[in-house]
Amino acid sequence: MEERIYFDYAATTPLDKRVLDKMTPYLTDCFGNADSPHAYGRKAMGAVDEARSIVARLIHANENEIYFTSGGTEADNWALIGGARAKRKEGRDEIVLSAIEHHAVLSAAERLEKEGFAVRYLPVNAGGMVEIGEIEKAVSDKTAIVALMAANNETGVLQPIAYAEKIAHKHGALFFTDAVQYAPYKKIDVKEMNADMLAFSGHKFYGPKGVGVLYIKNGVKVEKLIGGGEQERGLRGGTLNVAAIVGLAKAYELACLEMDENGKKLSALASSFIDKLASVGGITRNGAGDNALPSVVNVRIQGVENTTFLFNMDLQGVCLAAGSACASASVKPSHVLTAMGLDEKRAKESVRFSFGKYTTEEEIERGAACAKKIINKLRG
Ligand SMILES: *Cc1c(COP(=O)(O)O)cnc(C)c1O
């Protein structure tokens, strides 16, 4: 069989070799617990300090505003739950989030609902974007926190976070953005974004899995989610995952350095792919392509059920997804696509191709040809 093709970079990315090289010493000789006061510990903490300073500089934050977590999921949960609980002390008992947030944010919202918070969901238009008028309608002086992701993981569509930030702050609410998909492709400047909290994750930009960042602006009160030791300024217990933290910083540094180059390459590859695929007919793009990440192509293939399509593609060695990997075991149609107004049938005819820095012209050609063959066969 020809080499397998990976078109699922939005689910995760392979580790960059340069990142692995940077991590290796901290998985072997420099194994100390960063909180130990002896030489082993000091060496490990030195590496964590350096990683924290790299991340802080790249997003225009202070070092004491960077909190390392076990990934995007933990950062999302912490931001929403910790932020809402802290704000409740001011008598605020509503939260506002988009209907297309990642499941990490949605499930945190469900937990808050059980604690008595009212949850207001922002709808999206047919292009997959929250409309700014909806934000204004939903936010009030009762709002504890507004959560709006910077870019959606299923469609790649960029969201109006600058506007959401303004409305949230006008009403004295916190503003949080999940920038997990945004971080590999768009520069983050927390000063300019004026977010109170912002999350991203190492494995979406060629770093290790199981490590993420929650930026919390100085002065913003957030309750802790994970208690334990006094790590992360007493707000996040648990022995620091030194190798992963070092890897995340290296990976993010490389992502920022190579961002423009990768973005241009991916835009070209994605548009070439969609052109090739569209020639089979009955293909419609989900989500506005010009206001989106360069890496994601979500399409509806008329008359073809996505589970059957994905199964056949996998048999031919082409790996992609119906949407979020976290929801791929479920038989429910995507909450993102249904929020965009697709009915169940259309949502279940939709798939997500996501490309990355190791995607080649040859893979685009072979992948599109394979998809077309399978589509024709399944349409019979
Ligand atoms: C992948 C992803 C997450 C979850 O991050 P993990 O590090 O895998 O826990 C959260 N939000 C978005 C938008 C994502 O794409």
Side-chain angles (χ1 to χ4, degrees):
M1 194 166 92
E2 278 175 291
E3 279 213 30
R4 238 186 227 124
I5 298 179
Y6 186 73
F7 283 164
D8 204 8
Y9 282 82
T12 194
T13 59
L15 198 68
D16 187 304
K17 177 72 169 57
R18 294 167 291 180
V19 175
L20 176 62
D21 289 344
K22 188 84 188 173
M23 290 171 68
T24 303
Y26 301 97
L27 293 163
T28 51
D29 299 340
C30 316
F31 61 86
N33 183 322
D35 287 292
S36 297
H38 51 60
Y40 281 91
R42 290 197 307 272
K43 179 127 197 200
M45 191 53 103
V48 171
D49 287 343
E50 193 194 327
R52 198 185 305 281
S53 129
I54 291 169
V55 171
R57 176 174 51 79
L58 290 169
I59 68 169
H60 302 253
N62 300 311
E63 288 167 21
N64 64 358
E65 295 173 314
I66 304 297
Y67 294 83
F68 292 112
T69 68
S70 66
T73 298
E74 183 193 327
D76 281 350
N77 273 276
W78 184 12
L80 208 72
I81 294 172
R85 285 181 183 163
K87 273 291 195 186
R88 192 165 215 174
K89 301 199 170 83
E90 298 172 14
R92 293 167 181 266
D93 58 1
E94 296 185 7
I95 60 171
V96 174
L97 53 142
S98 81
I100 59 164
E101 293 297 307
H102 188 271
H103 283 287
V105 173
L106 293 175
S107 77
E110 281 165 24
R111 287 174 68 179
L112 289 168
E113 196 166 21
K114 292 205 181 86
E115 293 179 13
F117 283 93
V119 186
R120 310 217 176 284
Y121 293 95
L122 302 167
V124 296
N125 60 25
M129 200 172 82
V130 166
E131 285 196 26
I132 55 178
E134 299 290 345
I135 305 173
E136 192 131 39
K137 272 198 265 170
V139 182
S140 75
D141 293 346
K142 299 285 286 170
T143 308
I145 185 167
V146 176
L148 179 59
M149 67 197 328
N152 181 263
N153 47 304
E154 292 191 29
T155 60
V157 175
L158 300 170
Q159 302 300 322
I161 50 171
Y163 193 80
E165 177 274 315
K166 279 194 187 63
I167 299 294
H169 287 149
K170 190 174 98 182
H171 290 279
L174 294 175
F175 176 66
F176 163 63
T177 188
D178 170 340
V180 176
Q181 290 290 334
Y182 187 89
Y185 300 106
K186 305 276 172 187
K187 290 258 157 65
I188 293 172
D189 180 338
V190 291
K191 295 257 162 24
E192 197 185 294
M193 289 171 153
N194 201 24
D196 297 299
M197 289 180 277
L198 176 146
F200 57 96
S201 171
H203 74 100
K204 302 291 171 82
F205 44 68
Y206 313 93
K209 294 168 182 59
V211 65
V213 167
L214 183 64
Y215 156 83
I216 306 177
K217 189 201 274 177
N218 273 338
V220 170
K221 285 199 183 56
V222 181
E223 285 195 5
K224 74 170 96 169
L225 191 67
I226 297 182
E230 287 303 302
Q231 291 89 357
E232 299 299 88
R233 297 171 294 285
L235 280 177
R236 199 276 183 184
T239 302
L240 293 171
N241 188 348
V242 179
I245 289 168
V246 165
L248 177 143
K250 179 68 183 177
Y252 189 54
E253 195 172 37
L254 292 171
C256 290
L257 267 170
E258 298 165 2
M259 198 171 274
D260 292 341
E261 187 192 327
N262 281 332
K264 277 200 201 91
K265 178 191 134 164
L266 281 172
S267 296
L269 288 178
S271 72
S272 149
F273 180 81
I274 186 97
D275 287 348
K276 288 181 170 60
L277 184 70
S279 67
V280 77
I283 301 285
T284 42
R285 184 106 185 237
N286 296 317
D290 47 353
N291 182 40
L293 299 177
S295 48
V296 178
V297 172
N298 192 312
V299 290
R300 176 185 160 221
I301 307 169
Q302 278 171 44
V304 175
E305 234 213 345
N306 57 17
T307 48
T308 320
F309 177 74
L310 296 176
F311 176 77
N312 279 274
M313 287 288 273
D314 194 16
L315 280 181
Q316 296 301 313
V318 187
C319 301
L320 70 148
S324 169
C326 318
S328 61
S330 99
V331 289
K332 283 194 281 183
S334 147
H335 70 287
V336 175
L337 299 178
T338 46
M340 288 162 63
L342 272 74
D343 60 20
E344 180 161 345
K345 178 174 176 289
R346 288 181 170 83
K348 286 185 168 178
E349 290 177 344
S350 297
V351 292
R352 176 188 70 187
F353 295 88
S354 54
F355 310 114
K357 69 177 180 181
Y358 302 123
T359 305
T360 63
E361 207 47 82
E362 188 270 334
E363 288 177 333
I364 290 287
E365 240 162 72
R366 195 150 54 84
C370 179
K372 280 162 54 175
K373 217 161 84 189
I374 289 169
I375 292 165
N376 282 327
K377 186 184 95 181
L378 293 176
R379 281 176 178 162

